[in-house]
Amino acid sequence: MLKNRIIPCLDVKNGRVVKGINFVDLKDAGDPVEQAKIYSDGGADEICFLDITASNEKRDTIYGVVEKTSKRCFVPLTVGGGVRGVEDINKLLNCGADKVSINTAAVQNSEVVVESSKKFGSQCIVVAIDAKKNSDKWEIYTHGGRNNTGIDAIEYAKKMEDSGAGELLVTSMDRDGTQVGYDIDLMSKISSKVNIPVIASGGVGNLDHLVDGIKLGKASAVLAASIFHYGKHSVKEAKEYLDSKGIPVRI
Amino acid sequence: MNVTIVDYNSGNISSVINSFKEVAKDKVNIEVTSDLNKIKSSDKIVLPGQGSFKSCVDALKNINGLVDTLNEFAISNKKPLLGICVGLQMFADIGYEETETKGFGWISGKVSKIDNQNGKFKLPHIGWNEINITKNSKIFKGIENKSHMYFVHSYEFVPEDKNVISATTDYSSNIVCSVEKENIFGTQFHPEKSDKIGLKIIDNFINL
């Protein structure tokens, strides 16, 4: 039976982890490679890096991070943030990323998804959708949630599937950082609309939220950042909890 | 010993390279090349494959003499070869991804789309799934039945002779995920992304 995946996400800025696990025995808490290794040793099904480097001159720092991580972690590694097109994807894959998530660039031009999924295969193209609820519908936001495009998120999800995305990483901008749980409505609507796996993101504050994301949100995988940071919960704890709630996980 | 990972522009092979180098350490030389002479003289070959069946076959054919070299290596000389994902699928006679495309015909059978039961199951089949070991394959030495492996694919290899099947996995149907025919090995899952247990499979292949 296929297992639901738990994916810890690390925000990386200028090659350093912004928020991380605060373990006493960790030599360098800001080193993304060390943190990723802890996650993969702890049973993470995949690792996700979100590069939030703002300045262009430091953008290349992510490549070194990916290269070092892929030599030490042997679970799938997804890298997103600032991916503009085929050239960026090619560089990340060559450094050892297994999947690349595309956000703003896909909204601006869906051909990027068509072209890159043809070139590299759908299996490594994840489209990241940042959505926010405005009255009765969810709209797509770009540039880290600053720009509202007015595009309907559910329709867009379908379009991305048709364009060749292998998975969708759906983040609720309303819930991101709030720790009150995923936007279940949004997740289940998108998951029902498309035939590709949906990764739920944004808003996890406790382990029950992960359960809800899978059971109610119909997500194939759940991504979380802050609950794994500072050792609040380990990936192992999360898996044992999901298992106790009857959710199939890899233990 | 020389183990060659065939680099034929089949997409992203960094993870395959990293995992083999991790397992090989300094004991075994891992070569990454499309050089026919180097391939011929190596002891074992790894054939990765990402993207579509057609794109992989096309990429192989684009390198003059490569298909013949692989045939000579695996069929005439019967030296060990491991196909991963589409690398395994190409063992078949024919594949139906994008358009009907001929494979190597090393193991009779076809590669067709996984039946998702009218959308009841998501495709690609992505994530960790248990393998049911059906035969004592040499690459499964020390691997427990029901171990988890990482999968990402929408097409499946359906061999005619069921005796070549060494493991299956359960998704929308029972899917063949590993084959062994004499010196030819293949996994539909990605040992290079299947954590320590996947590295053990790679170790088993290197130590054949």
Side-chain angles (χ1 to χ4, degrees), chain A residues 1-3 5 40-41 44-46 67 70-71 73-77 93-99 120-121 123-124 166-167 190-192 194-198 218 220 249-251, chain B residues 11-15 18-20 22 50-52 55 116 118-130 148-153 169-171 191-196 199:
Chain A
M1 183 188 229
L2 183 66
K3 304 302 159 78
R5 287 168 283 157
S40 78
D41 285 347
D45 296 310
E46 294 184 29
E67 200 167 359
S70 69
K71 289 198 167 98
C73 297
F74 299 95
V75 299
L77 174 63
L93 294 177
N94 279 334
C95 290
D98 298 288
K99 311 182 202 182
F120 306 107
Q123 84 288 338
C124 61
E167 288 176 277
I190 290 185
S191 190
S192 307
V194 299
N195 282 320
I196 52 176
V198 168
K218 301 187 183 77
S220 301
V249 285
R250 174 181 68 115
I251 292 185
Chain B
N12 178 26
I13 59 168
S14 313
S15 290
N18 287 336
S19 61
F20 271 80
E22 169 76 12
Q50 282 205 350
S52 74
S55 69
N116 71 347
N118 290 321
K120 249 177 75 186
F121 288 81
K122 303 263 181 192
L123 284 183
H125 169 223
I126 298 185
W128 297 79
N129 207 335
E130 291 154 322
H148 287 96
M149 300 294 169
Y150 186 79
F151 287 84
V152 48
H153 64 128
T169 192
D170 293 315
Y171 192 48
E192 78 278 14
K193 288 281 107 185
S194 297
D195 215 350
K196 293 178 190 75
L199 296 185

Side-chain angles (χ1 to χ4, degrees), chain A residues 139-186:
Chain A
E139 291 173 336
I140 301 287
Y141 280 67
T142 59
H143 300 88
R146 292 189 299 275
N147 297 0
N148 181 10
T149 64
I151 298 167
D152 183 283
I154 318 284
E155 297 302 321
Y156 177 75
K158 183 70 192 158
K159 187 180 170 192
M160 289 301 104
E161 175 184 24
D162 296 340
S163 300
E167 288 176 277
L168 300 175
L169 168 58
V170 182
T171 305
S172 158
M173 300 307 290
D174 299 304
R175 300 298 178 89
D176 205 24
T178 63
Q179 307 210 12
V180 298
Y182 296 118
D183 185 338
I184 295 299
D185 232 16
L186 169 69

